[in-house]
Amino acid sequence: MTKTLEGDILDRLYTVIASRKGSDPEESYTAKLFNKGTAKIAQKVGEESVETVIAALAEGPENVASESADLLYHLMVLWADRGVEPSDVWAALAKRQGISGNVEKAARTNK
């Protein structure tokens, strides 16, 4: 896989996810999540986060990668549900680039 393709995959996935809004929940798992609402989507993000942590602590790299993919997918469903574009997240990350994590975290907690 080329670097462009690897970085592009999340943007392409988000486009597919966002296109499922308003689709038939009987035909699309993503549409079913949108239909169930923000609370259910957020719950799925939490579940997938826990599964990723468990994989990291007790399983091999393949399972960590698989669970991470599930987590990213559900996180992107949440973004689409809440009107967050990947570019919004990339911009937030870019603003933090070159800043100490400790300094950045302190700035967020002092707001």
Side-chain angles (χ1 to χ4, degrees):
M1 221 176 201
T2 68
K3 188 169 181 126
T4 303
L5 272 178
E6 290 169 351
D8 236 19
I9 189 76
L10 294 177
D11 290 320
R12 288 185 285 130
L13 175 60
Y14 181 86
T15 299
V16 172
I17 288 169
S19 76
R20 296 297 199 272
K21 276 184 141 180
S23 294
D24 183 356
E26 297 298 318
E27 299 291 321
S28 164
Y29 174 72
T30 304
K32 187 182 293 188
L33 285 172
F34 283 130
N35 194 52
K36 290 184 177 185
T38 304
K40 180 62 176 176
I41 297 167
Q43 177 187 348
K44 287 300 295 178
V45 171
E47 290 171 8
E48 296 301 338
S49 296
V50 169
E51 290 174 11
T52 303
V53 170
I54 291 168
L57 295 174
E59 299 172 13
E62 307 82 27
N63 288 343
V64 174
S66 179
E67 293 299 343
S68 294
D70 290 347
L71 175 57
L72 284 169
Y73 160 78
H74 285 89
L75 184 59
M76 290 185 141
V77 173
L78 184 64
W79 292 354
D81 179 68
R82 302 300 300 152
V84 174
E85 297 279 333
S87 60
D88 300 328
V89 178
W90 311 156
L93 287 169
K95 279 200 259 183
R96 297 176 185 184
Q97 195 170 6
I99 300 172
S100 160
N102 291 334
V103 171
E104 192 280 328
K105 187 172 181 180
R108 280 188 285 148
T109 55
N110 289 335
K111 288 183 180 179

